[in-house]
Amino acid sequence: MTRLHKGALDKTPGATPVPMPRIQRETWVNWALLGLLLLAPMIANALGEVYYVNLATRIAIVTMAAVGLNLAIGYGGMISFGHAAFFGLGGYVAGISAFHAFDMTPVLSWPITMPGTDNLLVIWLVAMLSCAVLALVIGAISLRTSGVYFIMITLAFAQMIYYFAVSWPTYGGEDGLPIYLRNQFPGLDTNDPLTFFLICFAALVLALAITARLMQSRFGAALTMARLNETRLATAGIAPYPIRLVAFVISAVITGLAGALFADLNGFVGASMLSWHRSGEIMVIVILGGVGRLYGPLSGAMLFVLMETLLGGLTEYWLLFLGLILLFVVLFARGGVMGLLAGRARHE
Amino acid sequence: MTLSLLFEQLLNGLQLGTMLFLMASGLTLVFGVMGLINLAHGSFYMVGAFVTAWTAGTTGSFWVGLGAGILAAAAVGAVVELLVIRRLYHRQHLDQVLATFALILIFSEGTRWLFGSSPLWLNVPEALSGAVALPGGSRYPVFRLVIIAVGVLVAVALFLLISRTRLGMRIRAGESDREMIGALGIDIAKLYTLVFALGAALAGLAGSMIGALQSVQVGMGEPVLILAFVVIVIGGIGSIKGALIGSLLVGLVDTLGRVFLPSLFKLFMTPAEASGVGAALASMLIYVLMAIILAFKPKGLFAAND
């Protein structure tokens, strides 16, 4: 914490900024990873390897989902085991809207008539709003508790949404819902893999920028203190509960937008996007990358998707090896990939 | 709505409840004594079911299979505790969640590797395969009644174990002050392994018996695990009494909701719509119950020390 305050003081005119070598190294790693993610699909596209462009898109989207969760877990100390609910809800908004746009039927006919649309801007807005509302409800109840209760309650709420999606027959139930035509962004051709990648990449950069900006603000300082020492925050005259709730909602919105993009990438949305394995997967990515580091999710997602692709190509049982690696990381290699690449975290 | 249907569904709810209790009591004991959240508890349920089905298929005896299933679950529990879990007691909950999530992946994929993806089948033992008449005329399988009886027996035995024996005294002492019982010369490491293996054995018992009702397949432990989480959150984490009451509540509400909600909606909807809406809402019912209880009691109905 002392460093955080010193950083704030350094901004006063006249103070000579002393760069921390460790932090600088992390910044270099961050830029290198982001550059790699941007350049690799461009090269792949130039070589005509569409498969790798889509793989990079997948990494960008999964990273974004994890950036959302990282805000809750890493910065806010709220161990949500139910972020698949938001990921899936975002996906279902994209799927349902496309379904009605394709069918030319309204999404809602009462109390107002709401037609389906394939305009991504509208879909994203609706996805983010619905995730915000859902997160507000789940968060308002779950944040009354803490510790293990919080973990289990977020898990249980996500399961509730999952079972609802499975048993609700209108939108495919267990079979899921195909998106026949990828939703459109005004003025761009989203069917072009590289264009769609760039859209996802831009959304990811935006999510990273918002998280960074948020954590440098007074709100971010309050959120950090809510994690480190709740009593101290309350003593300073700031109630921890609303701070946490707002962070939880923002976190859900970011993950939900990633879900909407994911559905469009795959041309399909199903209950698997809501399952608790998905929550675990997003959490694994956050941890593999390094908890509470801005770019941790990026390195985690790269490692995860590459392992999924490479190991999954070698053996049907790749999850067994993922389990072993994860167990090893948790037991012996704390700090994740970013810990290895950029040294220990600020605070531990 | 006939009386016999109501009676039958009450028994079904009770049976689900007692099975949930076998899972939830282990989870809540491990949390109460060691402060550990264990997602891999469902894996012991699966291990119990697979070993029982495999042994019963090989030897032809359900009872040998049942014994083998319980022992295997306890042994796997003890080994996992020695190798992995004991490194996690002093870690944060996040580490515990991830490490035990990793264990789920290892167990599920390992089982798929050993036994393949197709489910195994386990038959109800000959002696218990009949049915008895219920008041109202319908018949109810004996085996399900036996499951209820086993659940009740385990609940009583656990109660006696914890309140009347030396081991139970140590468990209670471990719940309230672990440093102190260590200082009094009790081997905490051994106590922890024992409690963990006991929880695993109960989960294995549940898996073995349910294996005779459903197909034995990879991933069968997960839905039960999540229901057991709902149970202990409702009952209060760490409380055996809470686990018992929570199990019965969840078992009854879930079973009755699935049967009666669709018929309730048929009163003012078309049958097709009613069954869709009813099924969707019924599947959410226990989570709504949980949310309501937590809104009034954030630590559950019978919160233990914590």
Side-chain angles (χ1 to χ4, degrees):
Chain A
M1 275 324 289
T2 48
R3 188 164 303 141
L4 192 122
H5 287 294
K6 216 158 73 190
L9 287 175
D10 280 348
K11 281 184 187 151
T12 50
T16 37
V18 185
M20 293 275 172
R22 229 173 11 183
I23 297 206
Q24 207 176 35
R25 187 168 143 207
E26 183 164 341
T27 313
W28 277 113
V29 172
N30 293 345
W31 285 106
L33 289 175
L34 204 62
L36 184 68
L37 180 64
L38 181 61
L39 282 181
M42 290 185 163
I43 296 170
N45 194 56
L47 296 174
E49 297 276 4
V50 175
Y51 172 78
Y52 291 101
V53 180
N54 285 333
L55 197 66
T57 313
R58 198 179 147 82
I59 292 179
I61 294 173
V62 171
T63 304
M64 194 170 149
V67 167
L69 183 61
N70 194 26
L71 182 62
I73 292 187
Y75 295 115
M78 297 172 279
I79 307 176
S80 162
F81 205 161
H83 259 51
F86 310 120
F87 192 68
L89 180 62
Y92 267 97
V93 168
I96 290 173
S97 186
F99 171 79
H100 285 290
F102 190 76
D103 258 16
M104 313 278 246
T105 49
V107 179
L108 275 182
S109 46
W110 185 89
I112 47 160
T113 309
M114 205 172 92
T117 174
D118 65 351
N119 185 335
L120 275 177
L121 289 175
V122 178
I123 290 175
W124 290 347
L125 193 68
V126 175
M128 295 197 306
L129 280 178
S130 352
C131 284
V133 171
L134 181 66
L136 207 58
V137 175
I138 293 183
I141 297 173
S142 310
L143 284 170
R144 286 166 54 84
T145 67
S146 60
V148 183
Y149 282 91
F150 185 79
I151 300 174
M152 292 186 184
I153 292 161
T154 46
L155 172 64
F157 277 123
Q159 282 304 107
M160 175 173 104
I161 310 285
Y162 170 82
Y163 284 119
F164 182 77
V166 165
S167 43
W168 185 261
T170 317
Y171 298 116
E174 263 179 292
D175 299 328
L177 194 62
I179 300 176
Y180 295 110
L181 299 169
R182 190 173 278 172
N183 293 311
Q184 294 302 315
F185 190 94
L188 293 173
D189 175 21
T190 51
N191 288 317
D192 175 48
L194 190 64
T195 309
F196 191 67
F197 165 77
L198 289 172
I199 291 175
C200 296
F201 186 79
L204 168 64
V205 171
L206 195 66
L208 285 169
I210 289 176
T211 311
R213 186 70 197 81
L214 208 60
M215 291 318 293
Q216 282 160 8
S217 68
R218 277 172 57 85
F219 176 81
L223 184 63
T224 307
M225 195 38 87
R227 182 189 78 225
L228 294 176
N229 191 337
E230 200 179 78
T231 320
R232 212 170 133 189
L233 182 67
T235 318
I238 302 174
Y241 180 85
I243 299 278
R244 286 210 182 96
L245 188 57
V246 169
F248 188 76
V249 170
I250 297 174
S251 150
V253 165
I254 296 177
T255 303
L257 182 57
L261 292 169
F262 196 71
D264 261 318
L265 172 68
N266 295 332
F268 175 78
V269 53
S272 69
M273 272 181 79
L274 290 162
S275 82
W276 73 296
H277 282 270
R278 183 72 62 178
S279 296
E281 215 175 278
I282 305 175
M283 199 188 245
V284 166
I285 287 167
V286 172
I287 298 344
L288 276 182
V291 194
R293 291 167 185 259
L294 186 56
Y295 286 73
L298 180 56
S299 57
M302 283 178 160
L303 185 68
F304 186 89
V305 173
L306 290 182
M307 273 200 309
E308 188 180 22
T309 315
L310 297 177
L311 282 177
L314 288 178
T315 161
E316 217 186 310
Y317 308 107
W318 81 278
L319 283 173
L320 177 66
F321 297 98
L322 174 70
L324 291 170
I325 292 169
L326 181 61
L327 197 59
F328 178 82
V329 169
V330 174
L331 291 182
F332 305 112
R334 304 172 76 183
V337 179
M338 291 302 277
L340 291 174
L341 293 178
R344 303 295 285 171
R346 313 182 300 270
H347 43 70
E348 243 181 313
Chain B
M1 194 54 48
T2 62
L3 185 68
S4 72
L5 179 65
L6 178 70
F7 208 69
E8 195 180 322
Q9 294 307 328
L10 276 176
L11 282 174
N12 278 343
L14 216 54
Q15 183 245 305
L16 177 61
T18 48
M19 276 306 95
L20 283 177
F21 174 70
L22 291 184
M23 287 291 286
S25 55
L27 267 181
T28 207
L29 206 57
V30 166
F31 183 82
V33 180
M34 288 97 107
L36 177 97
I37 169 169
N38 178 24
L39 296 183
H41 204 66
S43 298
F44 303 135
Y45 176 90
M46 183 180 71
V47 166
F50 267 93
V51 171
T52 303
W54 186 80
T55 314
T58 315
T59 62
S61 160
F62 176 85
W63 302 109
V64 174
L66 183 67
I70 296 170
L71 284 179
V76 169
V79 170
V80 165
E81 202 274 344
L82 288 172
L83 289 180
V84 178
I85 300 291
R86 63 172 42 184
R87 297 172 203 276
L88 296 171
Y89 293 140
H90 299 290
R91 294 290 196 86
Q92 301 164 350
H93 291 315
L94 182 59
D95 287 349
Q96 299 177 348
V97 165
L98 282 159
T100 52
F101 184 71
L103 285 176
I104 295 184
L105 295 178
I106 294 170
F107 273 110
S108 292
E109 293 306 305
T111 311
R112 200 193 304 279
W113 191 45
L114 280 177
F115 291 93
S117 292
S118 49
L120 300 183
W121 299 97
L122 178 63
N123 290 325
V124 172
E126 200 68 37
L128 304 178
S129 59
V132 290
L134 289 184
S138 67
R139 296 175 67 73
Y140 198 77
V142 177
F143 189 68
R144 284 179 182 264
L145 290 177
V146 171
I147 291 182
I148 297 176
V150 169
V152 173
L153 275 179
V154 168
V156 172
L158 262 184
F159 172 75
L160 291 177
L161 174 80
I162 287 175
S163 62
R164 298 289 153 81
T165 65
R166 182 163 290 270
L167 175 64
M169 199 152 64
R170 286 179 180 166
I171 290 176
R172 279 179 288 138
E175 275 179 335
S176 43
D177 194 334
R178 71 182 85 166
E179 278 81 22
M180 187 52 93
I181 69 161
L184 288 173
I186 287 160
D187 187 348
I188 299 205
K190 207 191 275 171
L191 178 70
Y192 283 2
T193 312
L194 208 63
V195 169
F196 198 81
L198 175 68
L202 291 177
L205 171 64
S208 302
M209 290 197 301
I210 292 298
L213 296 178
Q214 301 168 351
S215 60
V216 176
Q217 57 188 344
V218 174
M220 65 187 285
E222 292 163 11
V224 189
L225 174 80
I226 289 166
L227 282 185
F229 275 158
V230 173
V231 164
I232 64 175
V233 166
I234 286 179
I237 304 179
S239 157
I240 298 271
K241 186 167 99 186
L244 181 62
I245 292 176
S247 306
L248 295 178
L249 208 57
V250 167
L252 287 172
V253 167
D254 190 53
T255 310
L256 297 181
R258 276 172 208 283
V259 178
F260 295 116
L261 265 191
S263 9
L264 186 73
F265 281 104
K266 271 185 197 126
L267 296 179
F268 49 89
M269 277 183 185
T270 61
E273 269 182 25
S275 62
V277 175
L281 287 184
S283 63
M284 297 168 71
L285 204 56
I286 53 165
Y287 302 102
V288 176
L289 173 76
M290 180 187 80
I292 292 173
I293 288 180
L294 286 175
F296 293 101
K297 293 206 147 201
K299 294 257 163 188
L301 292 176
F302 301 94
N305 62 299
D306 178 36

